Amino acid sequence: MSLFDPTTIGTNALDQFRDWDFSFTGIWEYLVDLGAYHVSEQGVWGLIGIVVLILAILIAYPPTRYLGSQLSSNLIQSFFSIINLLVLGTGLVIAAGASRLGQGAVRNFGRSLVDWARKRK
């Protein structure tokens, strides 16, 4: 339940804005409602836009610049790691169909993923 409805236009909106609770919880509730609206309207693109906006704000504000740069660096590395795993997995599946050696490579790849998951726990 949002205290300030941004879709209302007119004097009602001004009255709502004047009566709005400017505490941290009111602002947080408004931002969460705004984010949920964009995610529900645009889907994944809305979520990507929210993440990019948050990272841009963190990088622009000097006290949080290091945190923002680390988060953006980790997101980029995670994205390329996923792409790398997809390409590697696709290549191994093609190799498995082509040769006996490829079947061993697929088996070793599966074992390495299991070992990686065990190390993460």
Side-chain angles (χ1 to χ4, degrees):
M1 175 74 191
S2 177
L3 299 174
F4 177 68
D5 185 10
T7 59
T8 308
I9 305 297
T11 58
N12 189 23
L14 289 176
D15 291 336
Q16 280 183 331
F17 188 72
R18 286 185 192 118
D19 296 335
W20 194 37
D21 180 21
F22 285 99
S23 67
F24 178 74
T25 55
I27 293 170
W28 178 255
E29 184 178 328
Y30 173 73
L31 291 175
V32 168
D33 287 345
L34 188 65
Y37 168 76
H38 284 290
V39 169
S40 67
E41 288 295 317
Q42 282 90 21
V44 175
W45 296 113
L47 185 62
I48 291 171
I50 291 169
V51 169
V52 167
L53 179 68
I54 290 172
L55 287 176
I57 291 171
L58 285 174
I59 290 172
Y61 188 57
T64 59
R65 186 167 290 149
Y66 180 75
L67 174 66
S69 66
Q70 291 297 314
L71 285 174
S72 61
S73 173
N74 287 338
L75 282 174
I76 291 169
Q77 284 180 348
S78 297
F79 174 74
F80 283 112
S81 294
I82 290 170
I83 297 296
N84 190 10
L85 284 173
L86 290 174
V87 169
L88 179 64
T90 305
L92 289 176
V93 167
I94 292 171
S99 70
R100 202 90 164 111
L101 177 66
Q103 291 172 359
V106 170
R107 194 168 37 251
N108 289 337
F109 177 71
R111 287 183 189 145
S112 67
L113 284 180
V114 169
D115 291 342
W116 176 79
R118 286 182 184 154
K119 287 179 186 176
R120 299 263 314 182
K121 288 184 180 181

